[in-house]
Amino acid sequence: MTTLQLITFINVLVLVSGVHNQSSIIRKIIHAEYSAPFATRINNTIEYIVEYHGNDQAYPAQVTVKGYDTTLEAPLLIVAQQQKQITSWQIPYVVNPVKNAQEYNEVSHTLCPSLMNRIKKTSFQILSRSKLTDSECSNPVITIKTSSPEPLHFEVQVDVRQDFFINSKMEYNITVSPSKPVYYYYNFHDEHNAATDSGAVLVSVTSDSDTCMMLSIQNSSCPVFDLEHNVQYDSYWQTMNRKTGMVVTKHNYPDGFYIVMVVTQTDTSCTSETQLTREVQNREKRVIFKVRPTITMKEHYTIAAATAGVFGAIFIICTIIGVVYLVRSIQKDENERSVDDVDAAEGMINAHESNRWRQLFTKSTRSKSSSNYVWHVGIVALFYTLPVLQLVFTYQGILHVTGNEDICYYNFLCAHPLGYITDFNHVFSNIGYVFLGILFIITTYTKELLERSVQNEAYGLPKPYGMFYALGFALIMEGIMSACYHICPKSSNFQFDTSFMYVMTVLMIVNVYENRHSTGDRRGYAVFGILAVATTLSVIGIYVGTKLYFWIIFTIIQVTFCATLTWMLDKQLFKMVFVKDERRNMTKVHVCRLILWIFGNILNWLVAAYGIYQRSGFGSHLLMVLIVNGLFYTIYYISMKLCHGEKILIITWIFIVLAAGVWAAAMYFFVSSVTSWEVSPAQSRMLNQECRLARYYDNHDIWHFLSSVALFFTFIVLLTLDEGISDMPRADIQDFHGH
């Protein structure tokens, strides 16, 4: 007998002995039968001892006691005793004694099987083939007593729980309430369970009721903690409304485990802090659950290796195609350009030395300026990543120590643990960002080397290769930071998942802008200053993102900023619009620019209106604002190239189409959310979905894959967007904003 059992036994003895001080209590011993109710009356002069015999199997006993006319002043006291343990409770059973006390006059408890040590080492099927001796049987003795002088009517019934040992091929439909907790036992060694090879099982639970319940996975030993105040002890546990799942590994529970379900006294544990708790009088909950094996470790490693192989193949094929294409392009340029053409163009440059493009004429100037972005991204990554890793692994450690799976917002129906990491597939699916980020850096470096072989600064626009290196590095960091976030996703670390998306989006906008504007060493500091403001707003939005005043303020800032920026970028155009004498100078190109600027501002108004209407997920909304503006400005740039008759290469059009198609597919999976940290953990699990790809990846994993490919294609578009004017004298290249 353990220390806890001994203390419980002593307390019960004290409780029972103190019910009545007289020594003339009549003790009546009743020999009852299983599944047959025994009903009678009792008062403070009688004590009933109900004995059960005949359970020669390893099935546990379930004791159900109903009390009539019982009160809290004189309750009915029940003690259920077995050879190695004792359990006690009273009727009425009080739920939520602090506020709106609810009393239950029917209480049911499953007694922990006495032969668990033997069952764990073999299996229930093997043990059931032989009859048990009387000393091995789990035959309980029920003692009922009361301090009430008035007769109380009660009824006791003990049933054999023949469904106690879980069969992974079956589905279980049960009813749970605060006074009727339920638990089952799963053994990896049982003959009808096919999970031995997989090493893990998924416990999936569904219900049609929003009543809050706690699901607990406990070690297969006695006692079982099946009350709300102790169900969290030494276990992994979750809160649940309508849907949840828990992956249990054989490594953590080699001897099997108990699945314990307890309906809570109120719904507070399952609601977010901003919601009012709904009081429910009838707290019975219908539950359907099943236990089925997950993928095997061999499948685990095979799928991971196949995923890495796919991106590795993309890496190799794209590298070969890119190198061949760039080599041919450089050779073509060398054949078409003569030395006389170069000298003539250089003379044009000297003649235009006072032109506003003079800083763009020098490749080294722009290259030096753009290289600052690489250092900025690198420094941010270094000082950002280390504390992030420390924090998320601390969260993961807390989850394993406390067993509280409400800490992290996983898709529990598709979460494959590996080692220390609970949700490995959502971490690993970020591999695409890393592979394709490295591939883009190699592509950029190859193009830079090949371009250096043609020492000609008279044609085309100089490439800001430092900016492209920064984009590639930011793509790698997005994969790393997203992986860190998915180690334990929650509201307090959501900015880890979006920070480098902000970086990439702003860098793309700046990259397109600087194609036709002079650069300066200070611009990088201004860009990362804007990113710092965006990250700060994202953090603030986590805490006040549901407040209307916050969205109104942000909307005013967004709309005002867009209108001001539009004016600053194209003052000459708007002077033509508002000054009557200037209107006659408007051309087709000016009209095109005006339409695009109006469209861009309307687009921002629509996004702002959508944000106020939805008022949720400010971090995602801010990212959407940046992405929408990045896409708009890219469309503006392409449109202006077409308006000015500039050539866009076929390869660029191909990547534009590919990027658009992959972005559309990626957004479909992005909006199909499988979690939401804006609500309570129990409510978030109602969005959980089973794996969609290879029994390993869900919608959000597919979003990781597709968005990484879409970003790579988008970067290629930016890298090749001005290749069509590489043979145009630099002095003839137009400034799209008419400065």
Side-chain angles (χ1 to χ4, degrees):
M1 182 178 292
T2 64
T3 303
L4 181 60
Q5 290 173 327
L6 181 60
I7 294 174
T8 304
F9 180 69
I10 293 174
N11 289 336
V12 171
L13 289 179
V14 172
L15 180 65
V16 173
S17 62
V19 170
H20 198 274
N21 295 325
Q22 300 178 8
S23 59
S24 59
I25 296 177
I26 300 174
R27 291 180 173 83
K28 294 185 177 182
I29 300 177
I30 306 297
H31 297 283
E33 296 182 359
Y34 284 98
S35 301
F38 168 72
T40 187
R41 292 181 177 274
I42 189 174
N43 59 21
N44 57 4
T45 65
I46 304 174
E47 175 183 320
Y48 280 96
I49 301 174
V50 186
E51 298 180 349
Y52 290 85
H53 299 280
N55 181 16
D56 57 356
Q57 299 291 324
Y59 296 113
Q62 178 176 297
V63 181
T64 303
V65 181
K66 299 179 183 178
Y68 304 91
D69 304 322
T70 56
T71 63
L72 292 174
E73 291 73 19
L76 198 66
L77 304 178
I78 300 98
V79 178
Q81 182 180 351
Q82 294 186 110
Q83 291 180 349
K84 298 181 180 180
Q85 65 169 326
I86 188 170
T87 305
S88 66
W89 64 91
Q90 73 174 41
I91 295 178
Y93 177 70
V94 180
V95 177
N96 194 17
V98 178
K99 180 182 178 181
N100 297 329
Q102 300 178 38
E103 299 179 5
Y104 286 84
N105 291 318
E106 182 177 354
V107 179
S108 177
H109 284 286
T110 300
L111 305 183
C112 191
S114 302
L115 297 177
M116 281 308 301
N117 289 333
R118 289 181 58 184
I119 295 172
K120 289 187 293 186
K121 294 178 180 178
T122 56
S123 72
F124 168 73
Q125 284 76 20
I126 296 175
L127 192 62
S128 63
R129 293 187 184 121
S130 58
K131 281 194 173 184
L132 304 178
T133 63
D134 291 340
S135 61
E136 295 175 326
C137 293
S138 300
N139 292 312
V141 177
I142 313 300
T143 302
I144 301 123
K145 202 167 186 180
T146 183
S147 61
S148 172
E150 300 297 328
L152 301 177
H153 182 212
F154 76 91
E155 180 182 298
V156 59
Q157 179 175 324
V158 177
D159 299 291
V160 177
R161 284 280 311 279
Q162 295 187 357
D163 64 342
F164 181 75
F165 299 97
I166 296 175
N167 185 336
S168 60
K169 299 178 182 179
M170 294 178 59
E171 187 176 83
Y172 295 82
N173 194 325
I174 61 174
T175 300
V176 190
S177 73
S179 65
K180 297 179 181 179
V182 179
Y183 64 92
Y184 289 78
Y185 173 68
Y186 183 89
N187 192 342
F188 288 99
H189 304 291
D190 278 356
E191 296 173 357
H192 52 218
N193 293 333
T196 304
D197 293 335
S198 69
V201 292
L202 172 64
V203 181
S204 59
V205 187
T206 58
S207 175
D208 59 359
S209 170
D210 287 321
T211 302
C212 186
M213 187 185 81
M214 299 190 73
L215 175 67
S216 172
I217 302 297
Q218 300 181 19
N219 193 28
S220 55
S221 59
C222 297
V224 179
F225 303 101
D226 61 350
L227 300 176
E228 183 180 354
H229 69 270
N230 63 14
V231 71
Q232 302 174 9
Y233 178 74
D234 196 24
S235 69
Y236 284 94
W237 60 273
Q238 300 175 358
T239 53
M240 172 196 165
N241 281 133
R242 290 177 176 261
K243 187 195 314 186
T244 192
M246 296 184 75
V247 176
V248 187
T249 63
K250 189 176 180 180
H251 177 267
N252 291 338
Y253 297 94
D255 297 327
F257 55 90
Y258 291 125
I259 302 173
V260 185
M261 286 167 274
V262 181
V263 172
T264 58
Q265 298 176 357
T266 67
D267 290 332
T268 304
S269 301
C270 291
T271 56
S272 59
E273 295 179 359
T274 58
Q275 292 176 312
L276 297 176
T277 302
R278 178 174 54 90
E279 297 295 338
V280 181
Q281 295 300 321
N282 181 15
R283 297 195 63 78
E284 284 194 348
K285 187 179 183 74
R286 297 289 299 175
V287 170
I288 299 174
F289 81 93
K290 58 184 177 181
V291 180
R292 55 185 174 83
T294 61
I295 61 173
T296 64
M297 290 305 296
K298 181 180 179 180
E299 292 173 321
H300 209 305
Y301 293 123
T302 301
I303 294 171
T307 304
V310 168
F311 281 102
I314 294 174
F315 185 97
I316 294 172
I317 293 172
C318 289
T319 300
I320 294 173
I321 293 175
V323 170
V324 171
Y325 172 77
L326 290 173
V327 168
R328 288 183 176 179
S329 297
I330 296 300
Q331 290 175 346
K332 182 179 179 181
D333 289 340
E334 289 178 339
N335 294 332
E336 291 180 351
R337 293 180 183 175
S338 64
V339 176
D340 294 337
D341 293 335
V342 173
D343 292 338
E346 287 177 351
M348 293 174 63
I349 293 175
N350 293 329
H352 289 79
E353 189 157 1
S354 61
N355 191 284
R356 59 182 174 273
W357 293 80
R358 60 185 181 275
Q359 291 186 5
L360 284 176
F361 289 159
T362 307
K363 184 186 298 184
S364 59
T365 301
R366 194 174 191 196
S367 177
K368 179 181 177 181
S369 174
S370 65
S371 66
N372 290 333
Y373 290 103
V374 182
W375 289 105
H376 292 322
V377 173
I379 292 172
V380 169
L382 177 64
F383 285 95
Y384 202 38
T385 306
L386 296 179
V388 165
L389 287 170
Q390 183 180 10
L391 180 64
V392 294
F393 277 108
T394 299
Y395 284 153
Q396 185 75 98
I398 292 173
L399 185 151
H400 288 305
V401 171
T402 64
N404 181 6
E405 293 196 346
D406 279 2
I407 293 176
C408 305
Y409 284 71
Y410 299 125
N411 177 12
F412 287 92
L413 296 180
C414 186
H416 300 284
L418 182 65
Y420 190 71
I421 300 175
T422 302
D423 188 10
F424 178 76
N425 52 298
H426 283 89
V427 174
F428 183 73
S429 61
N430 290 282
I431 188 175
Y433 296 109
V434 178
F435 266 74
L436 296 178
I438 296 173
L439 175 60
F440 185 72
I441 290 176
I442 293 175
T443 302
T444 302
Y445 181 68
T446 304
K447 190 174 189 322
E448 184 180 19
L449 288 179
L450 292 172
E451 191 172 289
R452 286 177 183 175
S453 63
V454 181
Q455 297 296 330
N456 185 1
E457 297 188 3
Y459 292 90
L461 290 175
K463 292 286 191 302
Y465 287 108
M467 179 79 72
F468 291 119
Y469 288 130
L471 283 171
F473 189 55
L475 185 58
I476 296 172
M477 289 307 305
E478 171 59 26
I480 295 173
M481 297 303 294
S482 179
C484 291
Y485 165 72
H486 284 285
I487 290 176
C488 182
K490 57 190 304 183
S491 61
S492 60
N493 60 6
F494 177 67
Q495 66 269 24
F496 303 163
D497 193 30
T498 56
S499 294
F500 278 89
M501 289 293 284
Y502 296 159
V503 171
M504 286 185 288
T505 307
V506 173
L507 286 180
M508 285 189 289
I509 295 174
V510 174
N511 176 271
V512 175
Y513 173 79
E514 291 193 345
N515 281 338
R516 306 295 168 122
H517 295 77
S518 61
T519 61
D521 293 341
R522 297 180 181 179
R523 195 178 302 280
Y525 300 105
V527 169
F528 280 87
I530 294 173
L531 287 169
V533 173
T535 304
T536 303
L537 286 173
S538 176
V539 174
I540 295 173
I542 291 174
Y543 299 99
V544 296
T546 59
K547 307 296 184 182
L548 180 60
Y549 70 84
F550 175 77
W551 285 91
I552 292 175
I553 294 173
F554 176 76
T555 299
I556 293 173
I557 294 174
Q558 176 189 348
V559 173
T560 304
F561 180 79
C562 290
T564 304
L565 191 62
T566 302
W567 171 263
M568 292 176 62
L569 289 175
D570 218 337
K571 293 180 182 179
Q572 180 180 343
L573 173 64
F574 291 101
K575 286 180 180 179
M576 290 182 180
V577 174
F578 295 112
V579 179
K580 185 176 181 180
D581 294 337
E582 295 286 340
R583 289 177 190 169
R584 61 177 180 271
N585 297 324
M586 290 188 69
T587 64
K588 181 179 178 181
V589 173
H590 292 122
V591 174
C592 181
R593 287 194 343 230
L594 180 62
I595 293 173
L596 287 170
W597 285 128
I598 293 174
F599 171 75
N601 280 269
I602 292 176
L603 193 62
N604 274 276
W605 296 340
L606 292 175
V607 172
Y610 175 76
I612 293 179
Y613 171 76
Q614 192 176 28
R615 276 193 297 166
S616 63
F618 179 76
S620 298
H621 177 78
L622 181 59
L623 180 60
M624 181 173 67
V625 171
L626 293 174
I627 290 176
V628 166
N629 281 278
L631 291 175
F632 162 72
Y633 198 65
T634 303
I635 293 172
Y636 172 88
Y637 189 83
I638 294 173
S639 301
M640 295 309 299
K641 285 177 68 68
L642 297 176
C643 288
H644 284 86
E646 293 185 1
K647 180 182 178 183
I648 298 178
L649 298 181
I650 295 178
I651 188 66
T652 303
W653 282 116
I654 291 174
F655 277 109
I656 289 174
V657 173
L658 288 174
V662 178
W663 271 121
M667 292 307 299
Y668 168 79
F669 290 101
F670 178 75
V671 298
S672 302
S673 302
V674 293
T675 60
S676 175
W677 46 258
E678 296 175 320
V679 295
S680 69
Q683 293 166 331
S684 172
R685 294 187 191 100
M686 293 170 65
L687 299 172
N688 287 181
Q689 298 177 14
E690 294 189 2
C691 299
R692 190 162 184 169
L693 179 63
R695 295 179 60 207
Y696 196 79
Y697 298 117
D698 66 5
N699 285 352
H700 197 74
D701 292 313
I702 299 174
W703 150 256
H704 285 163
F705 296 142
L706 293 179
S707 62
S708 63
V709 175
L711 283 167
F712 175 75
F713 287 160
T714 303
F715 293 172
I716 294 296
V717 170
L718 297 179
L719 185 64
T720 61
L721 192 55
D722 284 318
E723 287 295 303
I725 58 173
S726 59
D727 56 353
M728 179 183 292
R730 194 165 296 172
D732 295 338
I733 298 175
Q734 297 295 316
D735 177 1
F736 292 160
H737 299 318
H739 288 288

